[in-house]
Amino acid sequence: MKLVNFSLRHFAQWLSFLLLTLLVALSLSWVLLATVDFGYAWLHDHTSIAGHIAEYAPKNFNKPDFAMTDTAERARLFHGIVEAIHHQGQGLAELTYHDPQGRAITTLFTAAEVTHLQDVAHLIDKITFAATFMLPLWVVVFVLSLYYRQALPSIKQLAGYVLLFALLTTAVLSLGATEVFYQLHIWIFPADHPWFFYYEESLMSTMMQAPLLFGYIAIMLLGLAVVITVLLLTLYHYLAQRRTQHS
């Protein structure tokens, strides 16, 4: 028995499967990038982040001497942030930065910054909760699609669709990344919780060169998610063809 030819009547099922696969791929992409702290140490040295810190850290009178820290110390701090936002914000208030000789200077964040990062941690908890249901749902849809021989576009077509999605998303972000970043904060976080911090007053914003760092992370997330999506759909095609050959 051959796979059913792809036609418009299968479009809804295919689109649902593709979108679900993209969401799963984004979740997997996040998990993979989180294990390497979203490449912060590399981005620190190979983008404008280091120079940005050198310019703005000395202007922060509330949290002095952050400019004395080196790449390794800033990478350690960012790792601490990544760990904290994936564990209900635990340890954020205790993060302390040190000089190159290992002497503690002071805590990294103000109370307002801790509150914001705890809001981020709560958001990640909600997304993680949703992802725990999404992945098994994708597996079920994947298996049922194979069982009923649900046709998909060719690998070339699928790759084109996914690439087009990536290009459109990148174009939208490039045209107004900062505006998108700010609007998402307005929509997502509590209205009475601060989320905008000036570089001169916030080591959090300074060490991340917000929102620039998040733009890099978004590009890496999307790029890796596209690769994962294509691999998962290629796997589907391979298994579907084998099932057809053995029918």
Side-chain angles (χ1 to χ4, degrees), residues 27-28 147 195 239:
S27 300
L28 294 175
Y147 179 80
W195 54 264
L239 294 176

Side-chain angles (χ1 to χ4, degrees), residues 49-60 67 200 206:
I49 293 176
H52 179 82
I53 294 173
E55 178 181 357
Y56 285 98
K59 299 177 182 179
N60 191 315
E200 295 86 352
T206 296

Side-chain angles (χ1 to χ4, degrees), residues 45-96:
D45 289 343
H46 293 86
T47 65
S48 57
I49 293 176
H52 179 82
I53 294 173
E55 178 181 357
Y56 285 98
K59 299 177 182 179
N60 191 315
F61 296 107
N62 297 317
K63 300 285 182 177
D65 299 328
F66 188 76
M68 295 174 57
T69 59
D70 54 20
T71 301
E73 175 65 1
R74 295 165 190 174
R76 182 191 69 83
L77 292 167
F78 193 81
H79 174 74
I81 297 169
V82 172
E83 286 291 305
I85 62 175
H86 287 89
H87 293 88
Q88 295 79 48
Q90 297 176 10
L92 286 169
E94 291 74 37
L95 276 176
T96 301

Side-chain angles (χ1 to χ4, degrees), residues 110-122:
T110 64
E113 290 169 312
V114 170
T115 296
H116 173 60
L117 289 173
Q118 286 174 335
D119 287 339
V120 173
H122 295 153

Side-chain angles (χ1 to χ4, degrees), residues 149-224:
R149 294 179 171 84
Q150 172 64 49
L152 293 181
S154 68
I155 293 296
K156 185 176 180 180
Q157 288 173 319
L158 285 171
Y161 291 137
V162 174
L163 181 60
L164 178 61
F165 169 80
L167 290 175
L168 288 175
T169 303
T170 302
V172 170
L173 291 176
S174 65
L175 290 174
T178 301
E179 290 76 9
V180 171
F181 178 79
Y182 289 157
Q183 190 59 55
L184 287 175
H185 277 65
I186 293 172
W187 285 340
I188 293 172
F189 297 116
D192 58 339
H193 286 191
W195 54 264
F196 179 85
F197 302 91
Y198 290 102
Y199 293 137
E200 295 86 352
E201 301 172 351
S202 168
L203 292 183
M204 178 185 70
S205 292
T206 296
M207 70 176 289
M208 298 181 189
Q209 198 178 357
L212 183 66
L213 175 66
F214 304 109
Y216 290 130
I217 291 175
I219 292 171
M220 289 188 293
L221 275 172
L222 184 59
L224 184 55

